[in-house]
């Protein structure tokens, strides 16, 4: 499979930049690549120019689309996600059980709790330790959530006001519904 891919690559490259030697006579030696530093540099240069050119053309096309009448919706979506994505990441990083930060904090808090119980010479079973740990974890999680709500509510409010229209209506609906929306976001 690798040989077939190499043959397709060689067939697609211009004759001056081929990496295979054309002077090999046997079939076994013709399938092995013999490359010189100059031919490798040529191939890398062609690849770099191709990728760079594609990136430039793509960037110019994207800018043209975003500044045209048909790109207004995409521009608003990009602005919305530029506000919301950091907020989502912050909540995920600080609260998700899969986050490395949360895993480390859980491990650290559990060790501290076990150490504290050993120092107090309290003979505790693993079930009692788990109950205490879960209680402290819930308290810590509530503190972190409160801090994140207070930190991000003004940013999201500003986002809704800046984007206007449907986003303002969405904010109005969320503020009066019975959904579990934190008070920081309702005010």
């Amino acid at each position: 499979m690798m040989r077939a891919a190499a043959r397709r690559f060689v067939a697609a490259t211009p004759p001056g930049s081929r990496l295979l030697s054309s002077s090999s006579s046997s079939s076994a030696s013709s399938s092995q690549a013999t490359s010189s530093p100059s031919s490798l540099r040529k191939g890398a240069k062609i690849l770099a120019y191709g990728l760079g050119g594609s990136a430039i053309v793509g960037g110019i096309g994207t800018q043209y689309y975003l500044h045209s009448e048909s790109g207004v919706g995409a521009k608003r979506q990009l602005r919305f996600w530029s506000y919301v994505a950091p907020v989502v990441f912050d909540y995920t990083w600080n609260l998700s059980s899969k986050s490395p930060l949360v895993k480390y904090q859980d491990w650290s808090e559990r060790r501290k709790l076990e150490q504290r119980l050993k120092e107090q010479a309290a003979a505790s079973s693993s079930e009692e330790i788990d109950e205490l740990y879960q209680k402290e974890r819930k308290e810590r999680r509530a503190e972190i959530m409160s801090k994140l709500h207070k930190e991000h509510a003004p940013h999201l409010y500003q986002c809704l006001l800046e984007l206007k229209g449907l986003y303002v209506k969405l904010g109005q609906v969320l503020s009066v519904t019975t959904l579990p929306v934190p008070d920081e976001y309702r005010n």
Side-chain angles (χ1 to χ4, degrees), residues 91 143-155 182-185:
Y91 274 92
E143 289 173 14
I144 291 171
M145 282 186 96
S146 175
K147 184 187 95 166
L148 289 172
H149 293 334
K150 288 176 185 173
E151 181 180 337
H152 292 299
H155 296 298
D183 290 336
E184 291 87 358
Y185 287 101

Side-chain angles (χ1 to χ4, degrees), residues 83 87 151-160:
Y83 276 105
V87 173
E151 181 180 337
H152 292 299
H155 296 298
L156 292 180
Y157 176 73
Q158 189 62 37
C159 171
L160 296 177

Side-chain angles (χ1 to χ4, degrees), residues 2-147:
M2 291 290 287
R3 287 183 181 175
R7 285 187 198 122
R8 283 194 301 268
F9 175 74
V10 169
T13 56
S17 65
R18 293 228 170 126
L19 302 177
L20 295 177
S21 172
S22 60
S23 63
S24 58
S25 58
S26 70
S27 64
S29 64
S30 67
S31 66
Q32 297 175 351
T34 57
S35 57
S36 66
S38 64
S39 63
L40 285 175
R41 271 190 235 112
K42 255 186 190 176
K45 194 184 259 187
I46 290 171
L47 181 64
Y49 284 142
L51 290 175
S54 297
I56 290 171
V57 169
I60 291 171
T62 302
Q63 284 296 318
Y64 177 75
Y65 175 73
L66 290 176
H67 292 292
S68 68
E69 283 186 31
S70 58
V72 172
K75 198 175 194 179
R76 288 182 72 192
Q77 286 181 0
L78 284 173
R79 188 174 304 141
F80 171 78
W81 285 110
S82 71
Y83 276 105
V84 173
V87 173
V88 170
F89 175 78
D90 202 14
Y91 274 92
T92 303
W93 181 253
N94 286 299
L95 296 173
S96 172
S97 62
K98 295 181 180 180
S99 165
L101 176 67
V102 173
K103 286 181 180 181
Y104 172 74
Q105 288 173 342
D106 287 346
W107 174 80
S108 175
E109 291 297 320
R110 186 168 186 92
R111 286 191 52 138
K112 287 177 186 176
L113 177 64
E114 289 172 355
Q115 187 67 30
R116 195 171 62 223
L117 290 175
K118 282 181 185 178
E119 288 173 1
Q120 294 174 356
S124 301
S125 67
S126 62
E127 294 155 357
E128 291 173 350
I129 292 174
D130 286 340
E131 287 178 23
L132 286 171
Y133 169 71
Q134 291 300 330
K135 181 181 175 186
E136 288 183 8
R137 185 174 185 222
K138 283 183 181 179
E139 292 170 358
R140 183 171 33 101
R141 184 178 170 90
E143 289 173 14
I144 291 171
M145 282 186 96
S146 175
K147 184 187 95 166

